[in-house]
């Protein structure tokens, strides 16, 4: 009798290699709703690389998506990021002037992005 397949949470997902295929496979597991966005931005990066005769746009694309996946796969980062985004989304300077909350949310998003980037860069 074969063992039942194991289910893994996003937090258990091993950090993928920084290749397009590995990142796509990881995104399919942790946030499949963003696969079209990933493909669109990859196409843009490759087009820019050709136009500029440089690998820099592709390298930047790989880093950004590794960072996005790091946030999606880790509950701590995902929760902090979504909460800060929610604060920014609900902010309307015409209805209330809580700029302190906006500044804190922006700082939190920056901190999450920095932490995710440090994690994927090793």
């Amino acid at each position: 009798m074969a063992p039942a397949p194991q289910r893994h949470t996003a937090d258990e997902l091993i950090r993928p290699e920084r290749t397009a295929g590995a990142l796509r496979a990881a995104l399919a597991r942790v946030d499949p709703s963003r696969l079209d966005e990933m493909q669109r931005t990859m196409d843009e990066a490759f087009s820019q690389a050709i136009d500029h005769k440089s690998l820099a746009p592709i390298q930047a694309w790989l880093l950004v998506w590794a960072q996005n996946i790091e946030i999606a796969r880790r509950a701590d980062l995902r929760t902090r990021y979504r909460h800060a985004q929610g604060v920014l989304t609900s902010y309307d300077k015409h209805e209330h002037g809580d700029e302190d909350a906006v500044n804190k949310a922006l700082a939190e998003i920056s901190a999450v992005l920095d932490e995710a980037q440090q994690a994927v860069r090793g």
Side-chain angles (χ1 to χ4, degrees):
M1 180 179 207
Q6 293 183 0
R7 293 197 167 201
H8 298 283
T9 66
D11 287 335
E12 294 171 327
L13 177 69
I14 295 171
R15 188 173 295 118
E17 291 182 31
R18 213 178 316 162
T19 66
L23 293 173
R24 185 179 298 110
L27 187 64
R29 289 182 66 187
V30 298
D31 196 356
S33 68
R34 295 187 70 191
L35 285 168
D36 288 342
E37 175 189 0
M38 178 188 232
Q39 184 63 50
R40 181 182 45 76
T41 60
M42 183 177 83
D43 293 345
E44 291 169 2
F46 274 78
S47 179
Q48 290 174 1
I50 292 167
D51 290 346
H52 298 270
K53 296 180 179 142
S54 169
L55 292 177
I58 297 169
Q59 292 167 329
W61 178 85
L62 290 167
L63 180 60
V64 164
W65 281 97
Q67 186 179 35
N68 287 336
I69 291 163
E70 185 70 14
I71 292 167
R73 75 179 198 86
R74 288 182 43 193
D76 61 326
L77 295 181
R78 187 175 59 246
T79 300
R80 290 169 50 204
Y81 191 79
R82 286 182 181 165
H83 179 264
Q85 281 184 318
V87 170
L88 295 179
T89 301
S90 66
Y91 177 75
D92 182 350
K93 67 181 179 183
H94 299 293
E95 290 188 25
H96 61 82
D98 192 1
E99 290 184 24
D100 187 48
V102 169
N103 290 335
K104 286 179 182 175
L106 289 171
E108 182 66 359
I109 287 173
S110 180
V112 168
L113 292 171
D114 287 347
E115 187 172 336
Q117 189 173 90
Q118 287 177 354
V120 298
R121 284 193 168 176

